[in-house]
Amino acid sequence: MAAPATEAPKTETKKISLTGIKPSGTPHVGNYLGAIKPALKLAETFQAYYFIADYHALTTVTDPDLMHQYVYEIIATWLAMGLDPDEVVFYRQSDIPEIFELTWILSCYTAKGLLNRAHAYKAKVDANREEDRDEDAGVSAGLFNYPVLMASDILMFNTNYVPVGQDQKQHIEIARDIAASFNNNYGQEVLVLPEAYIMDDVATVPGIDGRKMSKSYGNVVPLFAPPKQLRKQIMRIVTNSQQPEEPKDPDADNIYNIYKHFASPEDLARVRQTYLEGGLAYGKMKQELFELLEATFGEARSQYDEYMNDKAELDRIMTRGAEKARAISVPMIEKMRKTVGIR
Ligand code: ADP
Ligand code: TRP
């Protein structure tokens, strides 16, 4: 519905959604359907903030060249997929120094016990105990404090909603707890209490071996690989040894389970029929999936390649994004300093 001309500008009326994307691997088809696409849709409803959580990635990405590469890949991916940097606020976390100052302030309002219970840390401790190691073996203070930095990302921008997957829900609750404890001490609503916006009806895309597509399993279909490489990966999809003429269960087939997320209803019905009746050759089906992915992502890949070949343009876009973000974070940190009595 078009807004009447007399209404206040949408930035004043819209609630704020904010989400961070960790540059910890080359984006795959699962990331697109499970995270990128649904997150981009939120820009229709909210004043949306998207940022590259590069300092969060430092807890796992320790090779500087890889870090550098991943950051640009993620920026280029989101732009190629339709993120409009003029409509939304799109920036790199590391370009906003106020976030790190806020992290310290917030850490003074974070119960250590709260961090002891954070899933990622707890999982490490449990694994260490099981193996009879020191319980903090292999745990950096960065990993332990990860939720505080995330709270800072969120609370800095007066965020109302944080679109994330189920696995991140606890982090939003921690941010809420920290905000409440801060507000409680100073007797005023300085920090907005954020809510998780759980995107749990999004698709889970299986990988080429049928397990959840994940970079940790090495079973991904990359979003923007060159066609030859994409085709090669699709030809590696694991199938059973049924002959073309045999009837097959489409829902048990790895090719179909990727195909179904992208096919038109008509194509899907046609292909399903062929599986059930017999007459489907896996090799041909793989070729059809390859062509479908080419048709779906081919154009975005050209844009992605253009961006990746013009990093200066990516830097310009991110610098403009950081300026927009800092128009909020600079006054916010001043307010925080004033609140705590540091002037
Ligand atoms: P990976 O499992 O490859 O390491 P991440 O954990 O970095 O991926 O996930 C980044 C985002 O992409 C998360 O929001 C996650 O829920 C989503 N995602 C990852 N894999 C899939 C998948 N196979 N299907 C749907 N969403 C996925
Ligand atoms: N921890 C998130 C993840 O692993 C990334 C992230 C960092 C984030 N800061 C955030 C997500 C703030 C939402 C809001 O996916």
Side-chain angles (χ1 to χ4, degrees):
M1 198 175 68
T6 50
E7 223 174 70
K10 55 187 177 181
T11 45
E12 285 174 30
T13 54
K14 278 188 175 177
K15 296 248 185 186
I16 294 169
S17 73
L18 172 143
T19 198
I21 308 121
K22 227 170 19 169
S24 53
T26 301
H28 54 72
V29 163
N31 297 144
Y32 171 69
L33 274 196
I36 300 174
K37 190 178 170 200
L40 284 177
K41 193 139 176 44
L42 294 173
E44 294 166 12
T45 316
F46 301 112
Q47 171 58 55
Y49 287 64
Y50 305 91
F51 68 96
I52 313 296
D54 44 5
Y55 269 130
H56 272 113
L58 194 56
T59 59
T60 50
V61 182
T62 51
D63 175 327
D65 296 330
L66 260 188
M67 172 73 91
H68 192 76
Q69 173 72 12
Y70 287 158
V71 167
Y72 283 109
E73 284 182 3
I74 301 278
I75 296 169
T77 297
W78 283 72
L79 292 169
M81 285 308 184
L83 180 148
D84 177 353
D86 294 326
E87 270 293 311
V88 307
V89 188
F90 185 42
Y91 56 98
R92 276 185 290 236
Q93 179 188 45
S94 56
D95 282 338
I96 318 296
E98 295 76 28
I99 289 176
F100 306 93
E101 186 172 345
L102 182 59
T103 302
W104 176 257
I105 300 177
L106 296 179
S107 72
C108 297
Y109 286 87
T110 308
K112 178 172 173 287
L114 195 62
L115 299 182
N116 287 341
R117 289 188 292 275
H119 296 322
Y121 172 67
K122 221 172 146 282
K124 286 250 180 195
V125 169
D126 290 346
N128 280 334
R129 281 199 187 125
E130 203 128 297
E131 301 287 322
D132 256 341
R133 286 188 293 255
D134 180 278
E135 62 175 40
D136 280 332
V139 177
S140 69
L143 176 78
F144 187 70
N145 290 319
Y146 185 109
V148 189
L149 179 56
M150 185 156 160
S152 182
D153 293 329
I154 296 168
L155 300 175
M156 178 64 89
F157 296 99
N158 304 306
T159 307
N160 302 106
Y161 297 107
V162 188
V164 283
Q166 193 67 36
D167 62 319
Q168 294 294 313
K169 190 168 171 224
Q170 189 196 31
H171 285 148
I172 319 304
E173 284 158 5
I174 292 174
R176 256 184 100 86
D177 278 0
I178 298 173
S181 135
F182 184 92
N183 287 348
N184 186 42
N185 185 71
Y186 296 102
Q188 37 176 326
E189 301 301 303
V190 185
L191 298 171
V192 173
L193 302 193
E195 267 176 61
Y197 187 100
I198 300 294
M199 306 193 290
D200 53 7
D201 58 344
V202 299
T204 298
V205 187
I208 60 166
D209 60 357
R211 291 184 292 173
K212 175 185 185 261
M213 189 181 292
S214 171
K215 62 178 174 292
S216 9
Y217 299 146
N219 64 354
V220 306
V221 177
L223 260 185
F224 296 136
K228 254 178 98 170
Q229 205 178 312
L230 175 64
R231 190 164 184 284
K232 210 169 135 198
Q233 185 69 348
I234 287 172
M235 291 303 156
R236 288 180 54 211
I237 296 178
V238 179
T239 54
N240 63 23
S241 55
Q242 281 186 293
Q243 293 305 306
E245 61 280 5
E246 290 180 62
K248 303 175 186 68
D249 176 5
D251 301 312
D253 178 49
N254 296 330
I255 314 168
Y256 181 85
N257 281 326
I258 299 176
Y259 181 87
K260 70 176 182 196
H261 292 293
F262 301 98
S264 68
E266 299 76 37
D267 281 339
L268 197 59
R270 169 182 54 79
V271 163
R272 212 182 152 78
Q273 190 76 4
T274 324
Y275 269 91
L276 294 170
E277 285 175 355
L280 180 126
Y282 287 131
K284 258 188 84 192
M285 189 58 211
K286 286 178 178 176
Q287 179 64 26
E288 184 160 346
L289 173 61
F290 166 68
E291 284 165 17
L292 177 60
L293 290 177
E294 270 300 292
T296 309
F297 296 115
E299 205 180 306
R301 181 177 57 224
S302 308
Q303 283 180 14
Y304 174 84
D305 290 342
E306 260 176 54
Y307 280 123
M308 286 303 276
N309 287 323
D310 191 359
K311 303 242 168 67
E313 172 64 3
L314 294 182
D315 285 332
R316 273 192 296 276
I317 292 173
M318 296 320 274
T319 303
R320 277 205 307 273
E323 281 163 10
K324 284 207 255 175
R326 293 195 75 205
I328 309 291
S329 65
V330 170
M332 181 65 180
I333 203 72
E334 275 167 18
K335 185 166 129 187
M336 291 298 290
R337 285 169 152 244
K338 211 168 149 225
T339 306
V340 303
I342 305 267
R343 317 225 168 130

